[in-house]
Amino acid sequence: MDRRIVRSRQMIMQAFIGLLGEQDFERITIQGIADRANVNRGTVYLHFTDKYDLLEQSVETYLMMLADSCMPEGGTATELSRDLVIRTFTYLKEHAAVYSVLITNKGIPTFRHRMTQMIEGNMTVMVNHMKLETGIHRDVLAQFLSLSLTGLIEWWVVQSMPYSPEEMVEQMTKILEARLRLW
């Protein structure tokens, strides 16, 4: 793809995310996005059908960027490693301006929902390669881990990332290794 096209798309998405952090999705207009991106309205429409298409493509783009940045050098991960989770938290911290808007925007649960689905898919792959104790269902464990990780990421972002990525992973490790008897 031509660099100018890529740059225009990036500027439009960044402008959109900036506006999404300042106002409700329903109040955002194509003209407002164009003004913020310093492009004309027609340029926005060259790349996106409407603001709903822009939202969808932004969610997909930023999810793919998150996934790509956190995967090990060989492609897919088959085990949940400390380094993989630290990379995830580190990437989120480095790009907090964007991901805090996407994760916490109350009117648009699309990003959080898709992130949960992505994490669940990865957890399913990892859980299927694990040796489990008798009585633990793989689908239940994958669901538990994916929702827990999504919730923890959301909490961490909402609380302005009070702990380092390493501390977050250390806490998660302690929780997962603990044999808590709640009942």
Side-chain angles (χ1 to χ4, degrees), residues 35-170:
D35 291 346
R36 175 72 63 98
N38 199 25
V39 298
N40 67 43
R41 229 174 106 108
T43 303
V44 177
Y45 284 117
L46 280 174
H47 297 283
F48 307 98
T49 309
D50 54 22
K51 70 180 185 178
Y52 297 95
D53 182 42
L54 175 54
L55 172 64
E56 183 69 26
Q57 289 191 45
S58 295
V59 166
E60 288 304 315
T61 298
Y62 285 108
L63 272 178
M64 292 311 301
M65 290 167 62
L66 176 61
D68 290 347
S69 72
C70 302
M71 280 296 137
E73 299 269 334
T76 60
T78 57
E79 62 182 61
L80 185 59
S81 73
R82 179 179 171 79
D83 290 339
L84 178 68
V85 182
I86 287 174
R87 263 190 287 216
T88 302
F89 278 97
T90 301
Y91 183 82
L92 289 168
K93 186 169 187 166
E94 290 169 355
H95 299 91
V98 170
Y99 288 97
S100 63
V101 169
L102 291 169
I103 290 170
T104 62
N105 194 300
K106 294 180 178 25
I108 312 287
T110 306
F111 184 83
R112 187 184 190 286
H113 177 71
R114 291 263 181 72
M115 184 175 74
T116 302
Q117 287 178 321
M118 182 180 75
I119 291 171
E120 183 181 355
N122 291 331
M123 289 297 159
T124 299
V125 169
M126 291 177 196
V127 166
N128 285 336
H129 287 86
M130 294 169 68
K131 182 178 180 184
L132 298 178
E133 293 182 21
T134 306
I136 298 175
H137 299 288
R138 291 180 189 283
D139 57 341
V140 172
L141 180 57
Q143 187 70 17
F144 174 80
L145 291 172
S146 62
L147 290 172
S148 298
L149 185 54
T150 300
L152 192 59
I153 287 170
E154 182 178 24
W155 172 84
W156 186 63
V157 168
V158 167
Q159 297 301 317
S160 301
M161 303 173 186
Y163 303 105
S164 72
E166 294 79 12
E167 288 173 299
M168 289 302 293
V169 173
E170 183 64 32

Side-chain angles (χ1 to χ4, degrees), residues 24-44:
D24 292 337
F25 176 75
E26 295 305 321
R27 297 189 71 219
I28 295 173
T29 64
I30 294 296
Q31 186 62 55
I33 295 165
D35 291 346
R36 175 72 63 98
N38 199 25
V39 298
N40 67 43
R41 229 174 106 108
T43 303
V44 177

